[in-house]
Amino acid sequence: MRMVDLIEKKRDGKELMTEEIQFIIEGYTNNSIPDYQMSALTMAIYFQGMNERERADLTMAMVNSGDTIELSAIEGIKVDKHSTGGVGDTTTLVLGPLVASLGVPVAKMSGRGLGHTGGTIDKLEAVNGFHVEIENDEFIRLVNQNKIAVIGQSGNLTPADKKLYALRDVTGTVNSIPLIASSIMSKKIAAGADAICLDVKTGAGAFMKTIDDSRELANAMVNIGNNVGRKTMAVISDMSQPLGYAIGNALEVKEAIETLRGEGPDDLTELCLTLGSHMVYLAGKATSLKEARQKLVEVIKNGKALETFKVFLKSQGGNSEVVDDPSKLPQAKYQIELPAMENGYVSEIVADEIGTAAMMLGAGRATKESIIDLAVGIVLKKKIGDYVKKDESLLTIYSNIEQIEEVKQKLYSNIKITKQKVDAPILIHEEITRI
Ligand code: URA
Ligand code: CA
C-alpha cells in the first residue's frame, strides 16, 4: 500500500477500506508516514468526510495504536461519562458518587485541565491529601470495594490520537466531525469503558457553538460507540452560560457536596439526574430511566450519595471532613462582589469569557506549565432570566489578589442586562439513544 494512493482516493471522495485505515494509523504512529502526508489526508477527510464504517474503523485503529486499560477484574458494567467540556462543569464530581452509591462501578481515568478551570483531578486535589497516583491493582481494588476510584492518566493511551490531534491543531483540520468523534471515542474505549454516556455541550462556552453542530457530533459519537459494541448515548446540554453557580476548583467541590446533599443549583442537579439515569440504566441497575431517576433521588435524600463521596475521598487520602465542613477547603483571601450597574433581567452570561475571567484569577491554566490556585474563582448569584436591581451583586469573586480591575472589566463586558423579561435557556436540548 502507498500512502499517496490513499490520499488521492479520499481526495476524490472514495471510501477507505478497513485495512487501509489500519495501515495509515499504524504508519503514522510508527513514523513511517510523515506529517506532510498525514496533513494532506486530514484535509481530504475535512472536505470529503467519512462514512459510518470508516469512522468506526478509524476509532478502533487509534484505540489499537497503544495501550488499552484492562478493567475486566471489576465486577459489573463500567459506564463512563464524557463531557465535551464546559465552564464550571461540576457534573463528574457529583455523578461519580451518585451512581456509585447505586452499585454502578465508576472506574474513572481523568486529566488535568487547560484553560477555563481545572479538570476533574485538579478539582479533587482541592481536597487536602487527595491523590490519584495509585497503582492499577489498587485502583481496581478500590472500585470493587467502594464502586468508585479516580486514577491519573498513565500509560501510552491512543498515541495515534495524540499525534494526530497536535497535527490537526496546526493544519486547520480540528473542526471535522469524523475526526473529532473518532478522537474522543478512541480515548473512552482505550480507557476501558463498556458503555458511554456523552454530554455534548452547546453554546458560547462549548466546543460546538450551535445546536446543529452539536447534534451532528453527538450522533457521530453515538453511532461509533454502538457500531464498535459499546452502548453509547448522548445528551445535548446548554453551555451558553456556566453550569451551576461555582467556577473554580475548591468552589466546585463545595458545589458538588451541596448537590449531593440535595441543595445544589437546579441546572446542575437536573443534568446530573438526567445523565445519571442513563448511566444507571446502561449499567443494568434499573429497568427503566424512570426507575433509575427515582433511585437517584432516593440516594440523595437518604444520604447514601454523600456518604459514598466521603468514603471515596478518604480511600484516596483526602480529608473527608470537608464534606461536613467545606470551610476546610482552600479559602481565598478576598471576596469581592460585582454590583449590577442597572435594574433589569440578566440576558447573557457568556460562558467561555466568564471561564477566562476565572482563569485570570488563577483557577485555570493559561499554559500547561501554569500553576493553578485551587481556592479562587467565581460564584454566580444570578443566572440568565433572573431579575437584578442596580447595585445588587451579580456574583462573588474569590481572589488571592486585591487588584482585579481587568477581571471585573471582563466580567462586566460579558454579562448583559436588559429591560425586557428573558427566559432561562433550555438546559437539555436532546437525548440521543440507539437502544
Ligand atoms: N477533543 C478531542 O479529544 N478531540 C478532538 O478532536 C476535538 C476535541
Ligand atoms: Ca459549577
Side-chain angles (χ1 to χ4, degrees):
M1 249 182 268
R2 291 197 319 155
M3 182 65 174
V4 62
D5 300 328
L6 304 180
I7 295 169
E8 287 175 2
K9 206 171 168 190
K10 184 45 76 182
R11 180 200 64 197
D12 297 340
K14 301 200 179 91
E15 70 179 292
L16 296 171
M17 297 296 116
T18 305
E19 312 74 56
E20 293 171 336
I21 291 172
Q22 283 166 354
F23 167 83
I24 293 164
I25 295 303
E26 274 169 33
Y28 189 53
T29 309
N30 70 24
N31 300 318
S32 60
I33 293 173
D35 278 347
Y36 54 84
Q37 284 190 309
M38 200 62 185
S39 310
L41 181 74
T42 50
M43 191 56 86
I45 292 171
Y46 180 92
F47 283 109
Q48 296 291 0
M50 283 183 132
N51 66 25
E52 270 197 33
R53 203 258 320 136
E54 290 175 293
R55 295 173 186 197
D57 285 342
L58 176 59
T59 303
M60 290 316 291
M62 293 203 290
V63 169
N64 294 325
S65 71
D67 300 340
T68 53
I69 305 289
E70 173 58 64
L71 295 180
S72 58
I74 295 170
E75 301 134 31
I77 301 170
K78 277 75 69 186
V79 188
D80 203 357
K81 191 242 18 170
H82 178 80
S83 151
T84 57
V87 178
D89 181 7
T90 318
T91 53
T92 300
L93 292 186
V94 179
L95 269 174
L98 187 56
V99 304
S101 70
L102 287 172
V104 178
V106 177
K108 188 98 192 143
M109 175 176 274
S110 234
R112 289 173 204 283
L114 186 61
H116 300 330
T117 57
T120 297
I121 292 185
D122 299 306
K123 295 177 195 179
L124 286 166
E125 282 176 350
V127 178
N128 194 20
F130 187 92
H131 63 95
V132 295
E133 291 80 20
I134 52 179
E135 293 298 322
N136 258 330
D137 294 357
E138 174 68 355
F139 176 59
I140 286 171
R141 193 188 66 76
L142 285 175
V143 182
N144 279 330
Q145 179 187 296
N146 302 332
K147 296 294 168 198
I148 176 169
V150 174
I151 190 168
Q153 264 143 13
S154 64
N156 182 31
L157 256 56
T158 58
D161 174 64
K162 279 196 194 83
K163 238 185 128 183
L164 191 53
Y165 198 6
L167 181 77
R168 288 163 53 211
D169 206 24
V170 293
T171 55
T173 51
V174 166
N175 236 325
S176 147
I177 295 277
L179 295 178
I180 300 168
S182 55
S183 165
I184 294 174
M185 292 303 287
S186 68
K187 285 178 277 217
K188 292 285 109 183
I189 292 165
D194 298 320
I196 300 157
C197 282
L198 299 161
D199 180 12
V200 178
K201 306 285 190 189
T202 193
F207 194 62
M208 292 288 160
K209 310 280 181 211
T210 70
I211 188 78
D212 285 346
D213 286 349
S214 305
R215 184 187 299 117
E216 203 184 334
L217 178 62
N219 273 305
M221 294 193 289
V222 168
N223 287 337
I224 288 174
N226 287 296
N227 287 339
V228 302
R230 307 305 193 279
K231 284 180 183 165
T232 302
M233 65 79 57
V235 305
I236 298 175
S237 72
D238 179 61
M239 195 35 81
S240 56
Q241 64 179 341
L243 185 66
Y245 297 112
I247 305 138
N249 301 287
L251 297 167
E252 288 186 55
V253 172
K254 182 162 179 273
E255 181 168 76
I257 294 166
E258 285 159 3
T259 307
L260 286 165
R261 191 176 274 127
E263 296 163 0
D266 290 345
D267 58 351
L268 177 60
T269 302
E270 179 53 34
L271 183 59
C272 288
L273 287 174
T274 302
L275 285 164
S277 301
H278 284 280
M279 292 174 78
V280 169
Y281 176 67
L282 284 175
K285 300 288 181 189
T287 52
S288 68
L289 288 173
K290 191 162 164 243
E291 189 201 345
R293 193 182 177 96
Q294 282 165 350
K295 287 185 162 180
L296 292 169
V297 171
E298 182 65 29
V299 290
I300 291 175
K301 274 206 187 117
N302 66 20
K304 267 181 103 175
L306 203 58
E307 184 58 30
T308 304
F309 191 47
K310 269 191 207 173
V311 171
F312 158 61
L313 292 178
K314 208 168 167 177
S315 292
Q316 296 195 224
N319 177 9
S320 61
E321 286 170 23
V322 301
V323 173
D324 295 317
D325 183 3
S327 73
K328 293 194 163 145
L329 289 163
Q331 305 288 317
K333 224 186 275 172
Y334 306 103
Q335 293 185 22
I336 304 154
E337 305 298 325
L338 191 78
M341 302 224 223
E342 58 192 314
N343 292 332
Y345 294 91
V346 177
S347 61
E348 259 186 79
I349 306 179
V350 184
D352 49 353
E353 298 290 342
I354 305 298
T356 303
M359 188 180 76
M360 288 158 68
L361 292 166
R365 292 184 180 83
T367 70
K368 272 190 211 147
E369 289 72 35
S370 317
I371 292 172
I372 56 177
D373 185 339
L374 295 167
V376 304
I378 292 163
V379 176
L380 303 174
K381 291 198 164 157
K382 301 285 174 185
K383 301 258 305 205
I384 296 176
D386 289 346
Y387 185 77
V388 61
K389 290 203 186 103
K390 184 173 185 301
D391 293 331
E392 198 185 349
S393 175
L394 291 164
L395 54 85
T396 310
I397 299 163
Y398 292 76
S399 176
N400 279 324
I401 18 175
E402 209 173 356
Q403 286 307 320
I404 50 163
E405 274 322 301
E406 221 185 317
V407 175
K408 283 186 172 173
Q409 272 322 310
K410 177 135 208 105
L411 291 168
Y412 272 127
S413 40
N414 288 287
I415 300 179
K416 303 250 155 39
I417 295 171
T418 60
K419 294 291 167 214
Q420 314 90 285
K421 213 170 175 318
V422 177
D423 288 332
I426 293 169
L427 175 66
I428 295 172
H429 291 273
E430 279 171 41
E431 293 174 46
I432 299 168
T433 58
R434 292 277 180 279
I435 30 174

